[in-house]
Amino acid sequence: MSTHRYARLLPALLVVTAMAAPSAQTPITLDENSYSLAQDVELGREASAEVRKQLPMLNDDRVDDYVEGIGAKLAGAVPSQLRHDGFRYSFDVVNQKEINAFALPGGPMFLNRGMLEAAGSEGEVAGVMAHEIAHVALRHGTAQATKGQKFQIGALAGQVLGAIVGGTAGSIIAQGSQFGLGTYFLKYGREYENEADLLGAQIMARAGYDPREMASMFRTIEAQGGGGGPEWLSSHPNPGNRYDAITREASTLRVQGDANSGSFSAIQARLRGMAPAYTAEQISKGQARNGSGSAGTSGRAVVQVAPPASQLRNHQPAGFLRVGVPANWNPVGSGEGVTYAPDGGFFRADGGQTVFTHGVQFGIVQGGSGNLQNDTQEILQNFARTNPDLRTAGNGRRERIGGRQGLTTTLSNVSQATGEREYVALSTAHLPDGGVLYMVGVAPQSEARTYEIAFRRVRQSLQIADR
Ligand SMILES: [Zn+2]
């Protein structure tokens, strides 16, 4: 069996030295980060695959080329100290009306069409993009995860599985936001906002855009009530004196050349000529489609969910973990999969949450107390926060799980998304490092008998490698 260790890097404080600028531009430091660069890349890759499944891509060559052109200039202006192996910046336009943009660890960036339509100039578009690139280069997503609270349900890609956040598990569960990964990696604190503003300004100047246009784009966003403005702002809160700070930084910078392509008006005209962008509500209802005729994933259709296949198929959701799940269940969500569900066993609810109605989800909680009963209670309380109707349906049952001391607790729930009564089985086991592995199985109460057997078989197949 292969050995496995959690990645624990020594806190590294890398000072980014100021580049040739007349007066002192603000030095920005990389924060402590216990994730590896490769993990940033992997997390971003998995999350972007999920984004592409869930959001309608515009897929218009001219608009994509335009945005990629701006992005390439900005990415080329990232200070050399902050260019990381394996990071690759990519830029896609989402056919969504609300003003928003986000970038994932390792570099994939998504810009809503509404952002392009609301901008007053190419420099303003570049401002948002430079800000997002700064978050990626500074590895703010994983730095923030590093600081995460002790009982964080979530994970290191490839090693730790995890419901990846949003604070919830599985099928029970309406994940906290549009994508599990999203919430966690995309909401930044004020300190990181300030850093992204300043580094973003520096990147803009080096790329040939006036950094003050970033400040003016933020004003544009703020001026948009309702809709999408607040969405971006809730993930990128104003650190306080945002405009002054950007303007002050800009005064220390020399804009190097003029990067403006001159195509901004033409692109906006092209967008105006298209059918209107989808709203978040339409997207969450599964009414949105990718551009260029390819169909997007739809929301909940009336589907018949096939019963669990009797044959198990093996998966290795993390290096140290092997599990067999019914052969007709597939990994759902991010890449290798943390959740396994049959076709029709998950869907997106109104409001954009992903809801699982059939299947199992695995996660790891780090830093357990050493007492499995207590740790299990803590996990349950965490689940209950987003599932108010979750009830324990019996005492926990001790059993061997993956060759270790384990506990299985049966629960009932009423799905907030479907209103249906659900059967829930939570199994927990300690990992050698003190963490807790959990597996939560969910099925409609009416099918509890069938799924109880399937969940037990999955549990019995679990192998946890010694580390
Ligand atoms: Zn930000």
Side-chain angles (χ1 to χ4, degrees):
M1 291 208 185
S2 64
T3 56
H4 165 81
R5 247 173 270 119
Y6 288 109
R8 284 247 184 278
L9 304 182
L10 289 174
L13 214 64
L14 174 66
V15 177
V16 178
T17 51
M19 293 153 297
S23 56
Q25 71 184 51
T26 311
I28 314 282
T29 57
L30 269 179
D31 211 348
E32 179 185 344
N33 198 318
S34 60
Y35 291 72
S36 68
L37 292 171
Q39 286 171 328
D40 271 44
V41 171
E42 178 63 10
L43 284 166
R45 195 187 61 74
E46 293 184 355
S48 74
E50 184 70 7
V51 168
R52 287 169 195 288
K53 270 191 264 176
Q54 302 207 11
L55 297 181
M57 297 298 125
L58 183 64
N59 289 341
D60 181 86
D61 285 348
R62 283 220 26 223
V63 176
D64 283 342
D65 286 351
Y66 175 73
V67 168
E68 278 163 17
I70 299 171
K73 283 177 244 177
L74 294 169
V78 171
S80 56
Q81 304 92 322
L82 293 174
R83 295 185 189 204
H84 308 299
D85 283 350
F87 279 33
R88 204 179 79 72
Y89 292 94
S90 63
F91 308 92
D92 281 280
V93 179
V94 181
N95 194 11
Q96 183 173 346
K97 178 170 177 285
E98 287 79 11
I99 298 177
N100 202 11
F102 57 93
L104 300 165
M109 187 188 299
F110 295 86
L111 286 108
N112 279 8
R113 178 178 156 191
M115 179 72 86
L116 298 175
E117 289 174 328
S121 67
E122 183 169 312
E124 289 195 0
V125 174
V128 170
M129 295 175 72
H131 176 99
E132 296 286 353
I133 285 175
H135 278 308
V136 173
L138 291 166
R139 307 184 60 209
H140 279 162
T142 47
Q144 195 145 267
T146 301
K147 291 199 283 200
Q149 68 274 42
K150 176 182 155 210
F151 257 83
Q152 113 199 348
I153 296 188
L156 304 183
Q159 293 191 5
V160 175
L161 348 150
I164 309 199
V165 187
T168 40
S171 342
I172 331 183
I173 292 169
Q175 283 180 337
S177 79
Q178 283 196 313
F179 346 99
L181 272 172
T183 23
Y184 205 44
F185 289 103
L186 303 174
K187 290 220 192 252
Y188 302 109
R190 286 162 204 280
E191 178 201 346
Y192 287 172
E193 280 311 296
N194 184 46
E195 287 183 4
D197 286 351
L198 300 185
L199 180 62
Q202 295 166 15
I203 289 171
M204 285 183 82
R206 272 176 56 128
Y209 290 105
D210 184 341
R212 286 169 301 191
E213 296 221 62
M214 175 166 39
S216 84
M217 184 64 196
F218 292 161
R219 285 191 198 282
T220 302
I221 294 170
E222 262 186 2
Q224 305 278 330
E231 193 182 345
W232 193 85
L233 287 171
S234 72
S235 340
H236 302 269
N238 186 332
N241 54 349
R242 175 163 251 168
Y243 313 108
D244 291 346
I246 294 171
T247 307
R248 203 178 324 118
E249 188 70 15
S251 70
T252 71
L253 302 166
R254 188 167 50 82
V255 179
Q256 299 180 16
D258 182 1
N260 272 289
S261 68
S263 312
F264 180 70
S265 324
I267 291 296
Q268 280 201 325
R270 184 174 179 83
L271 292 173
R272 277 194 301 273
M274 295 177 183
Y278 297 110
T279 62
E281 192 186 356
Q282 288 173 315
I283 294 168
S284 71
K285 287 181 175 166
Q287 295 165 354
R289 296 286 174 269
N290 280 332
S292 299
S294 65
T297 19
S298 65
R300 192 181 203 205
V302 178
V303 281
Q304 205 66 39
V305 178
S310 56
Q311 198 179 356
L312 299 186
R313 192 195 297 153
N314 290 319
H315 294 266
Q316 187 166 6
F320 64 94
L321 189 73
R322 288 170 194 276
V323 64
V325 304
N328 62 335
W329 294 4
N330 293 305
V332 174
S334 46
E336 301 172 67
V338 162
T339 301
Y340 299 94
D343 283 351
F346 60 96
F347 65 96
R348 286 193 77 197
D350 291 356
Q353 303 127 327
T354 302
V355 177
F356 298 92
T357 55
H358 302 65
V360 294
Q361 183 173 63
F362 295 94
I364 282 178
V365 174
Q366 289 165 329
S369 68
N371 179 318
L372 191 57
Q373 199 110 34
N374 292 349
D375 291 346
T376 303
Q377 276 308 316
E378 206 157 337
I379 292 170
L380 281 175
Q381 281 163 18
N382 206 318
F383 291 170
R385 274 207 284 276
T386 41
N387 296 273
D389 295 316
L390 189 64
R391 298 283 180 275
T392 308
N395 289 328
R397 200 168 56 245
R398 296 200 169 276
E399 61 177 310
R400 301 296 287 177
I401 292 174
R404 280 154 217 283
Q405 184 69 254
L407 194 63
T408 292
T409 310
T410 303
L411 305 111
S412 71
N413 187 45
V414 178
S415 166
Q416 296 218 287
T418 65
E420 283 167 26
R421 188 160 287 280
E422 294 179 315
Y423 165 79
V424 179
L426 172 70
S427 297
T428 48
H430 269 140
L431 295 171
D433 68 350
V436 179
L437 172 75
Y438 69 82
M439 167 184 140
V440 61
V442 178
Q445 186 64 49
S446 57
E447 298 170 64
R449 290 287 294 277
T450 309
Y451 280 84
E452 187 187 354
I453 295 165
F455 297 154
R456 191 188 316 136
R457 297 184 65 217
V458 173
R459 276 201 301 278
Q460 288 170 347
S461 78
L462 265 171
Q463 292 177 31
I464 303 171
D466 290 323
R467 292 178 270 178

